Short mmCIF file of all heavy atoms in Angstrom, two decimals:
data_model
loop_
_atom_site.label_atom_id
_atom_site.label_comp_id
_atom_site.label_asym_id
_atom_site.label_seq_id
_atom_site.Cartn_x
_atom_site.Cartn_y
_atom_site.Cartn_z
N MET N 212 82.53 102.25 85.71
CA MET N 212 82.40 103.42 86.54
C MET N 212 82.10 102.99 87.97
O MET N 212 81.19 102.20 88.22
CB MET N 212 81.27 104.29 86.01
CG MET N 212 81.09 105.57 86.78
SD MET N 212 80.02 106.71 85.90
CE MET N 212 78.53 106.52 86.83
N VAL N 213 82.86 103.52 88.94
CA VAL N 213 82.67 103.18 90.33
C VAL N 213 81.75 104.23 90.98
O VAL N 213 81.98 105.42 90.85
CB VAL N 213 84.03 103.15 91.09
CG1 VAL N 213 83.81 102.94 92.57
CG2 VAL N 213 84.94 102.11 90.48
N MET N 214 80.69 103.76 91.63
CA MET N 214 79.76 104.67 92.27
C MET N 214 80.33 105.06 93.63
O MET N 214 80.74 104.21 94.40
CB MET N 214 78.41 103.95 92.45
CG MET N 214 77.30 104.88 92.71
SD MET N 214 76.85 105.59 91.14
CE MET N 214 75.11 105.57 91.31
N GLU N 215 80.35 106.34 93.91
CA GLU N 215 80.89 106.84 95.17
C GLU N 215 79.84 106.76 96.27
O GLU N 215 78.68 107.08 96.06
CB GLU N 215 81.35 108.30 95.00
CG GLU N 215 82.17 108.78 96.16
CD GLU N 215 82.76 110.13 95.88
OE1 GLU N 215 82.97 110.47 94.70
OE2 GLU N 215 83.02 110.85 96.84
N LYS N 216 80.25 106.28 97.45
CA LYS N 216 79.34 106.17 98.57
C LYS N 216 78.97 107.55 99.07
O LYS N 216 79.84 108.38 99.34
CB LYS N 216 80.00 105.37 99.68
CG LYS N 216 79.15 105.15 100.89
CD LYS N 216 79.93 104.32 101.87
CE LYS N 216 79.13 104.12 103.14
NZ LYS N 216 79.92 103.41 104.15
N VAL N 217 77.67 107.83 99.21
CA VAL N 217 77.24 109.15 99.67
C VAL N 217 76.65 109.13 101.06
O VAL N 217 76.54 110.18 101.70
CB VAL N 217 76.24 109.80 98.68
CG1 VAL N 217 76.93 110.10 97.36
CG2 VAL N 217 75.02 108.95 98.48
N TRP N 218 76.25 107.99 101.59
CA TRP N 218 75.74 107.86 102.95
C TRP N 218 76.86 107.41 103.85
O TRP N 218 77.52 106.42 103.59
CB TRP N 218 74.57 106.90 103.02
CG TRP N 218 73.33 107.36 102.33
CD1 TRP N 218 72.85 106.93 101.13
CD2 TRP N 218 72.43 108.36 102.79
NE1 TRP N 218 71.70 107.60 100.82
CE2 TRP N 218 71.42 108.50 101.83
CE3 TRP N 218 72.38 109.19 103.93
CZ2 TRP N 218 70.35 109.40 101.95
CZ3 TRP N 218 71.33 110.07 104.05
CH2 TRP N 218 70.33 110.18 103.08
N LEU N 219 77.06 108.16 104.95
CA LEU N 219 78.11 107.84 105.90
C LEU N 219 77.53 107.49 107.25
O LEU N 219 76.53 108.09 107.68
CB LEU N 219 79.07 109.03 106.07
CG LEU N 219 79.71 109.60 104.80
CD1 LEU N 219 80.56 110.81 105.14
CD2 LEU N 219 80.56 108.54 104.13
N SER N 220 78.15 106.55 107.94
CA SER N 220 77.74 106.22 109.29
C SER N 220 78.11 107.37 110.20
O SER N 220 78.83 108.32 109.81
CB SER N 220 78.47 104.96 109.76
OG SER N 220 79.84 105.21 109.95
N VAL N 221 77.67 107.31 111.46
CA VAL N 221 77.99 108.38 112.40
C VAL N 221 79.50 108.50 112.57
O VAL N 221 80.04 109.60 112.56
CB VAL N 221 77.31 108.12 113.76
CG1 VAL N 221 77.70 109.17 114.79
CG2 VAL N 221 75.80 108.07 113.61
N CYS N 222 80.20 107.39 112.73
CA CYS N 222 81.66 107.42 112.90
C CYS N 222 82.36 107.97 111.65
O CYS N 222 83.29 108.77 111.76
CB CYS N 222 82.19 106.01 113.22
SG CYS N 222 81.68 105.44 114.85
N GLU N 223 81.91 107.54 110.48
CA GLU N 223 82.51 108.04 109.23
C GLU N 223 82.24 109.55 109.07
O GLU N 223 83.13 110.29 108.67
CB GLU N 223 81.93 107.30 108.03
CG GLU N 223 82.34 105.85 107.94
CD GLU N 223 81.56 105.07 106.90
OE1 GLU N 223 80.40 105.40 106.62
OE2 GLU N 223 82.14 104.09 106.39
N ALA N 224 81.02 109.97 109.38
CA ALA N 224 80.69 111.39 109.25
C ALA N 224 81.48 112.23 110.23
O ALA N 224 81.97 113.31 109.87
CB ALA N 224 79.17 111.59 109.51
N ALA N 225 81.65 111.75 111.45
CA ALA N 225 82.44 112.48 112.44
C ALA N 225 83.87 112.67 111.97
O ALA N 225 84.45 113.74 112.06
CB ALA N 225 82.39 111.75 113.78
N GLU N 226 84.45 111.61 111.44
CA GLU N 226 85.83 111.70 110.91
C GLU N 226 85.87 112.64 109.72
O GLU N 226 86.79 113.44 109.60
CB GLU N 226 86.32 110.30 110.52
CG GLU N 226 87.77 110.32 110.06
CD GLU N 226 88.31 108.95 109.78
OE1 GLU N 226 87.76 107.96 110.31
OE2 GLU N 226 89.27 108.87 108.99
N TYR N 227 84.87 112.58 108.85
CA TYR N 227 84.83 113.40 107.66
C TYR N 227 84.82 114.91 107.99
O TYR N 227 85.50 115.70 107.36
CB TYR N 227 83.61 113.03 106.82
CG TYR N 227 83.52 113.73 105.48
CD1 TYR N 227 84.34 113.37 104.45
CD2 TYR N 227 82.58 114.73 105.28
CE1 TYR N 227 84.25 113.98 103.20
CE2 TYR N 227 82.49 115.37 104.06
CZ TYR N 227 83.32 114.99 103.02
OH TYR N 227 83.24 115.62 101.81
N VAL N 228 84.03 115.28 109.01
CA VAL N 228 83.92 116.70 109.36
C VAL N 228 84.91 117.13 110.44
O VAL N 228 85.03 118.30 110.76
CB VAL N 228 82.49 117.10 109.77
CG1 VAL N 228 81.51 116.85 108.67
CG2 VAL N 228 82.04 116.38 111.04
N GLY N 229 85.63 116.17 111.04
CA GLY N 229 86.63 116.50 112.05
C GLY N 229 86.06 116.77 113.42
O GLY N 229 86.63 117.54 114.19
N LEU N 230 84.94 116.10 113.75
CA LEU N 230 84.33 116.24 115.07
C LEU N 230 84.32 114.87 115.76
O LEU N 230 84.43 113.83 115.11
CB LEU N 230 82.90 116.73 114.96
CG LEU N 230 82.66 118.15 114.41
CD1 LEU N 230 81.18 118.40 114.27
CD2 LEU N 230 83.30 119.18 115.32
N ALA N 231 84.13 114.92 117.09
CA ALA N 231 83.97 113.68 117.82
C ALA N 231 82.60 113.08 117.48
O ALA N 231 81.64 113.81 117.22
CB ALA N 231 84.07 113.95 119.31
N ARG N 232 82.51 111.77 117.52
CA ARG N 232 81.26 111.07 117.25
C ARG N 232 80.18 111.59 118.17
O ARG N 232 79.07 111.85 117.75
CB ARG N 232 81.48 109.57 117.45
CG ARG N 232 80.24 108.76 117.25
CD ARG N 232 80.45 107.32 117.77
NE ARG N 232 79.21 106.58 117.75
CZ ARG N 232 78.25 106.69 118.67
NH1 ARG N 232 78.36 107.53 119.64
NH2 ARG N 232 77.13 105.98 118.55
N GLN N 233 80.48 111.73 119.46
CA GLN N 233 79.48 112.15 120.44
C GLN N 233 79.00 113.58 120.14
O GLN N 233 77.82 113.87 120.39
CB GLN N 233 80.05 112.07 121.85
CG GLN N 233 78.98 112.26 122.91
CD GLN N 233 77.89 111.19 122.85
OE1 GLN N 233 78.16 110.01 122.72
NE2 GLN N 233 76.63 111.62 122.94
N THR N 234 79.81 114.41 119.56
CA THR N 234 79.39 115.76 119.21
C THR N 234 78.28 115.72 118.16
O THR N 234 77.28 116.43 118.27
CB THR N 234 80.59 116.60 118.69
OG1 THR N 234 81.57 116.66 119.70
CG2 THR N 234 80.16 118.00 118.29
N LEU N 235 78.45 114.85 117.16
CA LEU N 235 77.38 114.71 116.14
C LEU N 235 76.11 114.15 116.79
O LEU N 235 75.01 114.63 116.47
CB LEU N 235 77.82 113.78 115.02
CG LEU N 235 78.75 114.36 113.96
CD1 LEU N 235 79.03 113.32 112.88
CD2 LEU N 235 78.21 115.61 113.36
N VAL N 236 76.24 113.19 117.67
CA VAL N 236 75.08 112.63 118.34
C VAL N 236 74.37 113.72 119.16
O VAL N 236 73.13 113.85 119.11
CB VAL N 236 75.48 111.43 119.25
CG1 VAL N 236 74.34 110.98 120.14
CG2 VAL N 236 76.02 110.29 118.39
N ASN N 237 75.15 114.53 119.88
CA ASN N 237 74.55 115.60 120.67
C ASN N 237 73.87 116.63 119.79
O ASN N 237 72.77 117.14 120.14
CB ASN N 237 75.63 116.31 121.53
CG ASN N 237 76.18 115.40 122.60
OD1 ASN N 237 75.60 114.37 122.93
ND2 ASN N 237 77.32 115.77 123.14
N ARG N 238 74.49 117.02 118.68
CA ARG N 238 73.90 117.99 117.78
C ARG N 238 72.56 117.45 117.22
O ARG N 238 71.58 118.20 117.12
CB ARG N 238 74.84 118.35 116.63
CG ARG N 238 76.07 119.14 117.08
CD ARG N 238 76.93 119.54 115.90
NE ARG N 238 76.21 120.46 115.01
CZ ARG N 238 76.08 121.76 115.24
NH1 ARG N 238 76.62 122.32 116.29
NH2 ARG N 238 75.40 122.51 114.36
N ARG N 239 72.52 116.21 116.88
CA ARG N 239 71.27 115.62 116.34
C ARG N 239 70.20 115.65 117.42
O ARG N 239 69.06 115.98 117.14
CB ARG N 239 71.53 114.17 115.89
CG ARG N 239 70.26 113.54 115.36
CD ARG N 239 70.53 112.14 114.80
NE ARG N 239 69.30 111.61 114.24
CZ ARG N 239 68.44 110.86 114.92
NH1 ARG N 239 68.67 110.55 116.18
NH2 ARG N 239 67.34 110.41 114.33
N GLY N 240 70.54 115.33 118.66
CA GLY N 240 69.59 115.36 119.74
C GLY N 240 68.99 116.75 120.00
O GLY N 240 67.88 116.88 120.46
N LYS N 241 69.75 117.79 119.64
CA LYS N 241 69.29 119.16 119.81
C LYS N 241 68.61 119.70 118.55
O LYS N 241 68.19 120.84 118.52
CB LYS N 241 70.47 120.07 120.17
CG LYS N 241 71.09 119.76 121.51
CD LYS N 241 72.28 120.63 121.77
CE LYS N 241 72.94 120.24 123.09
NZ LYS N 241 74.15 121.02 123.34
N GLY N 242 68.54 118.87 117.51
CA GLY N 242 67.89 119.30 116.26
C GLY N 242 68.76 120.22 115.41
O GLY N 242 68.24 120.95 114.57
N LEU N 243 70.07 120.17 115.63
CA LEU N 243 71.00 121.04 114.89
C LEU N 243 71.54 120.32 113.67
O LEU N 243 71.52 119.10 113.58
CB LEU N 243 72.14 121.47 115.80
CG LEU N 243 71.74 122.24 117.06
CD1 LEU N 243 72.96 122.45 117.97
CD2 LEU N 243 71.10 123.56 116.72
N ARG N 244 72.07 121.10 112.76
CA ARG N 244 72.74 120.53 111.58
C ARG N 244 74.12 120.03 111.99
O ARG N 244 74.66 120.51 112.95
CB ARG N 244 72.92 121.63 110.51
CG ARG N 244 71.61 122.00 109.86
CD ARG N 244 71.78 122.97 108.75
NE ARG N 244 72.43 122.31 107.63
CZ ARG N 244 73.09 122.99 106.66
NH1 ARG N 244 73.20 124.28 106.70
NH2 ARG N 244 73.63 122.33 105.69
N PRO N 245 74.68 119.13 111.26
CA PRO N 245 74.18 118.51 110.03
C PRO N 245 73.08 117.51 110.34
O PRO N 245 73.09 116.84 111.37
CB PRO N 245 75.41 117.83 109.43
CG PRO N 245 76.27 117.50 110.60
CD PRO N 245 76.03 118.59 111.61
N ARG N 246 72.12 117.41 109.43
CA ARG N 246 71.00 116.52 109.61
C ARG N 246 71.38 115.06 109.30
O ARG N 246 72.16 114.80 108.38
CB ARG N 246 69.84 116.94 108.69
CG ARG N 246 69.17 118.22 109.16
CD ARG N 246 67.99 118.57 108.28
NE ARG N 246 68.37 119.00 106.95
CZ ARG N 246 68.67 120.26 106.64
NH1 ARG N 246 68.63 121.17 107.56
NH2 ARG N 246 68.99 120.59 105.41
N ALA N 247 70.79 114.18 110.05
CA ALA N 247 70.99 112.74 109.82
C ALA N 247 69.66 112.13 109.42
O ALA N 247 68.60 112.67 109.70
CB ALA N 247 71.50 112.08 111.09
N ASN N 248 69.74 111.02 108.73
CA ASN N 248 68.54 110.31 108.26
C ASN N 248 68.66 108.83 108.63
O ASN N 248 69.75 108.30 108.78
CB ASN N 248 68.41 110.41 106.74
CG ASN N 248 68.23 111.82 106.30
OD1 ASN N 248 67.17 112.40 106.45
ND2 ASN N 248 69.28 112.42 105.75
N LYS N 249 67.52 108.20 108.74
CA LYS N 249 67.50 106.75 108.92
C LYS N 249 67.51 106.12 107.54
O LYS N 249 66.66 106.41 106.69
CB LYS N 249 66.23 106.31 109.66
CG LYS N 249 66.23 106.65 111.11
CD LYS N 249 66.85 105.53 111.90
CE LYS N 249 66.74 105.86 113.37
NZ LYS N 249 66.71 104.70 114.20
N VAL N 250 68.50 105.28 107.29
CA VAL N 250 68.59 104.53 106.05
C VAL N 250 68.75 103.06 106.45
O VAL N 250 69.70 102.71 107.14
CB VAL N 250 69.82 104.99 105.21
CG1 VAL N 250 69.96 104.15 103.95
CG2 VAL N 250 69.73 106.46 104.88
N ALA N 251 67.77 102.27 106.04
CA ALA N 251 67.76 100.84 106.42
C ALA N 251 67.87 100.68 107.94
O ALA N 251 68.65 99.87 108.42
CB ALA N 251 68.85 100.10 105.67
N ASN N 252 67.11 101.50 108.67
CA ASN N 252 67.08 101.48 110.12
C ASN N 252 68.42 101.81 110.80
O ASN N 252 68.64 101.45 111.94
CB ASN N 252 66.57 100.11 110.66
CG ASN N 252 65.09 99.96 110.43
OD1 ASN N 252 64.34 100.93 110.44
ND2 ASN N 252 64.65 98.72 110.25
N ARG N 253 69.28 102.47 110.08
CA ARG N 253 70.54 102.94 110.65
C ARG N 253 70.66 104.42 110.42
O ARG N 253 70.24 104.95 109.40
CB ARG N 253 71.71 102.21 109.98
CG ARG N 253 71.61 100.71 110.09
CD ARG N 253 72.95 100.15 110.43
NE ARG N 253 72.85 98.70 110.38
CZ ARG N 253 73.07 97.95 111.45
NH1 ARG N 253 73.42 98.51 112.58
NH2 ARG N 253 72.97 96.65 111.40
N LEU N 254 71.27 105.09 111.38
CA LEU N 254 71.47 106.53 111.28
C LEU N 254 72.62 106.80 110.30
O LEU N 254 73.70 106.25 110.43
CB LEU N 254 71.82 107.09 112.65
CG LEU N 254 71.80 108.59 112.80
CD1 LEU N 254 70.41 109.13 112.50
CD2 LEU N 254 72.20 108.97 114.20
N ARG N 255 72.33 107.65 109.29
CA ARG N 255 73.33 107.96 108.25
C ARG N 255 73.32 109.46 107.97
O ARG N 255 72.31 110.14 108.11
CB ARG N 255 73.02 107.22 106.96
CG ARG N 255 73.06 105.72 107.07
CD ARG N 255 74.47 105.22 107.22
NE ARG N 255 74.51 103.78 107.18
CZ ARG N 255 75.16 103.04 108.02
NH1 ARG N 255 75.87 103.59 109.00
NH2 ARG N 255 75.15 101.74 107.94
N TYR N 256 74.47 109.93 107.56
CA TYR N 256 74.63 111.33 107.13
C TYR N 256 74.93 111.32 105.65
O TYR N 256 75.76 110.53 105.17
CB TYR N 256 75.79 111.99 107.87
CG TYR N 256 75.48 112.26 109.33
CD1 TYR N 256 75.66 111.28 110.29
CD2 TYR N 256 74.98 113.48 109.73
CE1 TYR N 256 75.38 111.52 111.63
CE2 TYR N 256 74.69 113.74 111.06
CZ TYR N 256 74.90 112.75 112.00
OH TYR N 256 74.60 112.98 113.31
N HIS N 257 74.28 112.20 104.91
CA HIS N 257 74.52 112.31 103.47
C HIS N 257 75.73 113.22 103.26
O HIS N 257 75.82 114.29 103.86
CB HIS N 257 73.29 112.86 102.77
CG HIS N 257 73.31 112.61 101.30
ND1 HIS N 257 73.99 113.44 100.42
CD2 HIS N 257 72.77 111.60 100.57
CE1 HIS N 257 73.84 112.96 99.21
NE2 HIS N 257 73.12 111.85 99.28
N ARG N 258 76.64 112.78 102.45
CA ARG N 258 77.89 113.54 102.23
C ARG N 258 77.60 114.96 101.74
O ARG N 258 78.25 115.91 102.16
CB ARG N 258 78.79 112.82 101.25
CG ARG N 258 80.15 113.53 101.12
CD ARG N 258 81.12 112.80 100.25
NE ARG N 258 81.48 111.57 100.92
CZ ARG N 258 82.17 110.61 100.35
NH1 ARG N 258 82.55 110.70 99.11
NH2 ARG N 258 82.48 109.51 101.00
N ASP N 259 76.63 115.14 100.86
CA ASP N 259 76.29 116.48 100.36
C ASP N 259 75.83 117.39 101.49
O ASP N 259 76.18 118.57 101.54
CB ASP N 259 75.22 116.41 99.28
CG ASP N 259 75.71 115.75 97.99
OD1 ASP N 259 76.93 115.65 97.82
OD2 ASP N 259 74.86 115.37 97.19
N GLU N 260 75.03 116.85 102.41
CA GLU N 260 74.59 117.65 103.57
C GLU N 260 75.76 118.04 104.45
O GLU N 260 75.85 119.18 104.92
CB GLU N 260 73.57 116.85 104.38
CG GLU N 260 73.24 117.43 105.72
CD GLU N 260 72.50 118.77 105.70
OE1 GLU N 260 71.87 119.09 104.68
OE2 GLU N 260 72.54 119.49 106.71
N LEU N 261 76.71 117.10 104.64
CA LEU N 261 77.90 117.43 105.42
C LEU N 261 78.73 118.52 104.74
O LEU N 261 79.19 119.46 105.39
CB LEU N 261 78.75 116.18 105.64
CG LEU N 261 78.13 115.08 106.50
CD1 LEU N 261 79.01 113.84 106.48
CD2 LEU N 261 77.89 115.55 107.90
N ASP N 262 78.87 118.40 103.43
CA ASP N 262 79.63 119.41 102.67
C ASP N 262 78.97 120.78 102.75
O ASP N 262 79.63 121.79 102.94
CB ASP N 262 79.82 118.99 101.21
CG ASP N 262 80.78 117.83 101.04
OD1 ASP N 262 81.63 117.60 101.93
OD2 ASP N 262 80.68 117.14 100.00
N ASP N 263 77.64 120.83 102.62
CA ASP N 263 76.90 122.09 102.74
C ASP N 263 77.08 122.70 104.14
O ASP N 263 77.27 123.89 104.29
CB ASP N 263 75.41 121.90 102.48
CG ASP N 263 75.11 121.60 101.02
OD1 ASP N 263 76.00 121.85 100.17
OD2 ASP N 263 73.99 121.12 100.75
N TRP N 264 76.98 121.86 105.17
CA TRP N 264 77.13 122.31 106.53
C TRP N 264 78.55 122.86 106.77
O TRP N 264 78.73 123.90 107.38
CB TRP N 264 76.83 121.19 107.50
CG TRP N 264 76.99 121.55 108.93
CD1 TRP N 264 76.18 122.37 109.66
CD2 TRP N 264 78.04 121.15 109.80
NE1 TRP N 264 76.65 122.49 110.94
CE2 TRP N 264 77.81 121.75 111.05
CE3 TRP N 264 79.18 120.34 109.66
CZ2 TRP N 264 78.63 121.55 112.17
CZ3 TRP N 264 79.98 120.16 110.75
CH2 TRP N 264 79.72 120.76 111.97
N ILE N 265 79.53 122.16 106.24
CA ILE N 265 80.93 122.62 106.39
C ILE N 265 81.12 123.97 105.70
O ILE N 265 81.68 124.88 106.29
CB ILE N 265 81.88 121.57 105.76
CG1 ILE N 265 81.92 120.31 106.66
CG2 ILE N 265 83.29 122.14 105.62
CD1 ILE N 265 82.55 119.10 105.98
N ARG N 266 80.61 124.11 104.47
CA ARG N 266 80.75 125.39 103.75
C ARG N 266 80.03 126.52 104.47
O ARG N 266 80.54 127.62 104.55
CB ARG N 266 80.20 125.24 102.33
CG ARG N 266 81.19 124.62 101.36
CD ARG N 266 80.72 124.75 99.91
NE ARG N 266 79.50 124.01 99.66
CZ ARG N 266 79.43 122.71 99.37
NH1 ARG N 266 80.56 122.01 99.27
NH2 ARG N 266 78.29 122.12 99.15
N SER N 267 78.86 126.24 105.02
CA SER N 267 78.10 127.29 105.70
C SER N 267 78.78 127.76 106.97
O SER N 267 78.54 128.85 107.45
CB SER N 267 76.69 126.82 106.01
OG SER N 267 76.69 125.86 107.03
N ASN N 268 79.67 126.92 107.51
CA ASN N 268 80.42 127.28 108.72
C ASN N 268 81.83 127.73 108.41
O ASN N 268 82.62 127.98 109.33
CB ASN N 268 80.44 126.10 109.70
CG ASN N 268 79.11 125.84 110.31
OD1 ASN N 268 78.50 126.74 110.88
ND2 ASN N 268 78.59 124.65 110.15
N GLY N 269 82.20 127.79 107.15
CA GLY N 269 83.52 128.26 106.74
C GLY N 269 84.64 127.30 107.08
O GLY N 269 85.77 127.71 107.28
N HIS N 270 84.34 126.01 107.14
CA HIS N 270 85.35 125.00 107.46
C HIS N 270 85.56 124.11 106.25
O HIS N 270 84.70 123.98 105.38
CB HIS N 270 84.91 124.13 108.62
CG HIS N 270 84.71 124.90 109.88
ND1 HIS N 270 85.73 125.43 110.61
CD2 HIS N 270 83.57 125.24 110.53
CE1 HIS N 270 85.24 126.06 111.65
NE2 HIS N 270 83.93 125.96 111.61
N GLU N 271 86.69 123.47 106.22
CA GLU N 271 86.98 122.44 105.21
C GLU N 271 86.85 121.09 105.88
O GLU N 271 87.14 120.95 107.06
CB GLU N 271 88.41 122.61 104.66
CG GLU N 271 88.59 123.81 103.75
CD GLU N 271 87.74 123.69 102.50
OE1 GLU N 271 87.67 122.59 101.92
OE2 GLU N 271 87.14 124.71 102.10
N PRO N 272 86.42 120.08 105.15
CA PRO N 272 86.34 118.74 105.77
C PRO N 272 87.72 118.26 106.20
O PRO N 272 88.71 118.55 105.57
CB PRO N 272 85.81 117.87 104.64
CG PRO N 272 85.55 118.71 103.49
CD PRO N 272 86.01 120.09 103.78
N ALA N 273 87.76 117.54 107.28
CA ALA N 273 89.00 116.95 107.76
C ALA N 273 89.32 115.77 106.85
O ALA N 273 88.54 114.84 106.75
CB ALA N 273 88.86 116.49 109.21
N ARG N 274 90.41 115.80 106.17
CA ARG N 274 90.78 114.74 105.25
C ARG N 274 91.91 113.88 105.85
O ARG N 274 92.92 113.63 105.22
CB ARG N 274 91.22 115.31 103.90
CG ARG N 274 90.24 116.21 103.26
CD ARG N 274 89.19 115.43 102.54
NE ARG N 274 88.36 116.35 101.77
CZ ARG N 274 87.14 116.10 101.40
NH1 ARG N 274 86.58 114.97 101.72
NH2 ARG N 274 86.46 116.96 100.73
N ARG N 275 91.72 113.47 107.07
CA ARG N 275 92.76 112.67 107.75
C ARG N 275 92.59 111.21 107.37
O ARG N 275 91.50 110.71 107.21
CB ARG N 275 92.59 112.81 109.26
CG ARG N 275 92.81 114.21 109.74
CD ARG N 275 92.65 114.25 111.22
NE ARG N 275 91.24 113.98 111.49
CZ ARG N 275 90.58 114.44 112.51
NH1 ARG N 275 91.19 115.17 113.39
NH2 ARG N 275 89.31 114.17 112.69
N GLY N 276 93.70 110.55 107.31
CA GLY N 276 93.68 109.11 107.07
C GLY N 276 93.07 108.72 105.75
O GLY N 276 93.01 109.51 104.80
N ARG N 277 92.59 107.50 105.69
CA ARG N 277 92.00 106.98 104.46
C ARG N 277 90.58 107.51 104.30
O ARG N 277 89.88 107.73 105.28
CB ARG N 277 91.96 105.47 104.50
CG ARG N 277 93.35 104.86 104.48
CD ARG N 277 93.26 103.38 104.42
NE ARG N 277 92.53 102.90 105.63
CZ ARG N 277 92.49 101.64 106.00
NH1 ARG N 277 93.09 100.72 105.30
NH2 ARG N 277 91.82 101.30 107.08
N PRO N 278 90.12 107.68 103.08
CA PRO N 278 88.73 108.08 102.88
C PRO N 278 87.81 106.95 103.27
O PRO N 278 88.23 105.79 103.33
CB PRO N 278 88.66 108.35 101.38
CG PRO N 278 89.79 107.63 100.79
CD PRO N 278 90.85 107.54 101.84
N PRO N 279 86.53 107.25 103.57
CA PRO N 279 85.59 106.17 103.91
C PRO N 279 85.52 105.14 102.81
O PRO N 279 85.69 105.46 101.63
CB PRO N 279 84.25 106.91 104.06
CG PRO N 279 84.63 108.31 104.32
CD PRO N 279 85.92 108.54 103.61
N LYS N 280 85.27 103.91 103.18
CA LYS N 280 85.16 102.82 102.19
C LYS N 280 84.01 103.08 101.25
O LYS N 280 82.96 103.56 101.65
CB LYS N 280 84.91 101.48 102.90
CG LYS N 280 86.06 101.06 103.77
CD LYS N 280 85.73 99.78 104.50
CE LYS N 280 86.82 99.42 105.45
NZ LYS N 280 86.48 98.27 106.27
N THR N 281 84.22 102.74 99.97
CA THR N 281 83.17 102.92 98.99
C THR N 281 82.61 101.60 98.56
O THR N 281 83.15 100.58 98.77
CB THR N 281 83.67 103.71 97.74
OG1 THR N 281 84.80 103.02 97.23
CG2 THR N 281 83.99 105.11 98.10
#
C-alpha cells in the first residue's frame, strides 16, 4: 500500500488550488485561509485543509500537470 502525501509545500499547494505562490503567502500574512503549518521548520499546507477551503469557496482544485510527488 502506497501512502499518499498529505503535506504540500507552498509551491505545491499553490499549484493544487490554482493560485499564485505569492497569493498564498499574502493570505497567510493576513491570517486568511487556507491555513499553513510549520512541519519540520518548513511551511506546509495540509491537503485536507486545502480541499475544505476549495469546497467552502465553491471551487474545484486545479488539476494541471502532474500531481505532486508522493
Side-chain angles (χ1 to χ4, degrees):
M212 182 167 104
V213 175
M214 199 78 140
E215 192 171 334
K216 182 178 177 184
V217 294
W218 291 105
L219 304 177
S220 70
V221 176
C222 291
E223 291 169 332
E226 185 175 336
Y227 185 74
V228 299
L230 295 175
R232 178 193 172 281
Q233 191 61 45
T234 300
L235 281 183
V236 171
N237 292 344
R238 291 184 64 81
R239 180 176 183 267
K241 294 176 183 177
L243 301 173
R244 288 184 71 201
R246 288 184 289 273
N248 297 286
K249 287 270 184 153
V250 177
N252 287 330
R253 303 223 185 242
L254 192 60
R255 298 288 186 227
Y256 289 85
H257 197 276
R258 185 176 292 170
D259 292 343
E260 168 67 21
L261 294 173
D262 289 338
D263 289 344
W264 179 72
I265 290 165
R266 279 191 295 276
S267 71
N268 289 305
H270 299 288
E271 288 296 319
R274 305 279 188 204
R275 297 180 293 209
R277 294 184 300 193
K280 296 177 185 174
T281 56

